[in-house]
Amino acid sequence: MARIAGINIPNHQHAEIALTAIYGIGRARAQMICAAAGVQGSRKIKDLNDSELDRIRESIAKFTVEGDLRREVQMSIKRLIDLSCYRGSRHRKGLPVRGQRTRTNARTRKGPRKTVAGRKKAAAKK
């Protein structure tokens, strides 16, 4: 397995897809990196030689990825929380931040349903 930016890149995948295993690199950026390094995106990682892997590493070094990017994102969230702005309060409460509805959906952010004791269902109208 090739090791790039502290991550083991899967050998059996195409270079363009395998680079997306690195946090901060998606498909578009992986295509740009392959083009800048002069490597075809359709070639598998196991077929690349050391000089091509070094060129890919140099191209990736120009971007903020992995630990530095994670730290940057967490610092941005912490800044919002410290400001006590609306977005920060939503982060603190673990609720959706970007205006989504929470009455029926948002289970990913809110977690599993918590049953409320003593709450009765609305009486059926006849």
Side-chain angles (χ1 to χ4, degrees), residues 27-117:
R27 289 290 297 271
R29 188 167 280 181
Q31 290 171 353
M32 286 176 25
I33 289 168
C34 288
V39 176
Q40 290 181 343
S42 59
R43 289 183 59 197
K44 300 218 175 190
I45 293 291
K46 64 183 176 186
D47 298 335
L48 299 178
N49 58 32
D50 291 336
S51 64
E52 290 170 330
L53 287 173
D54 288 338
R55 288 197 307 253
I56 289 174
R57 284 187 190 101
E58 289 171 10
S59 298
I60 289 175
K62 297 174 186 171
F63 299 105
T64 305
V65 292
E66 274 304 321
D68 294 335
L69 182 60
R70 289 180 201 269
R71 195 173 308 109
E72 200 172 295
V73 169
Q74 288 300 318
M75 291 301 290
S76 297
I77 292 171
K78 186 178 182 312
R79 178 181 57 83
L80 290 171
I81 291 171
D82 292 342
L83 285 173
S84 301
C85 63
Y86 180 78
R87 282 174 60 200
S89 67
R90 302 296 280 184
H91 275 292
R92 185 182 302 125
K93 293 175 187 174
L95 293 170
V97 176
R98 297 184 178 180
Q100 298 92 332
R101 67 180 295 146
T102 57
R103 182 172 180 170
T104 56
N105 297 328
R107 292 286 24 135
T108 302
R109 285 291 292 186
K110 291 169 74 172
R113 287 184 170 84
K114 301 170 192 81
T115 54
V116 179

Side-chain angles (χ1 to χ4, degrees), residues 5-21:
I7 299 296
N8 290 330
I9 304 297
N11 278 332
H12 61 281
Q13 290 182 342
H14 294 270
E16 190 177 299
I17 304 299
L19 288 177
T20 61

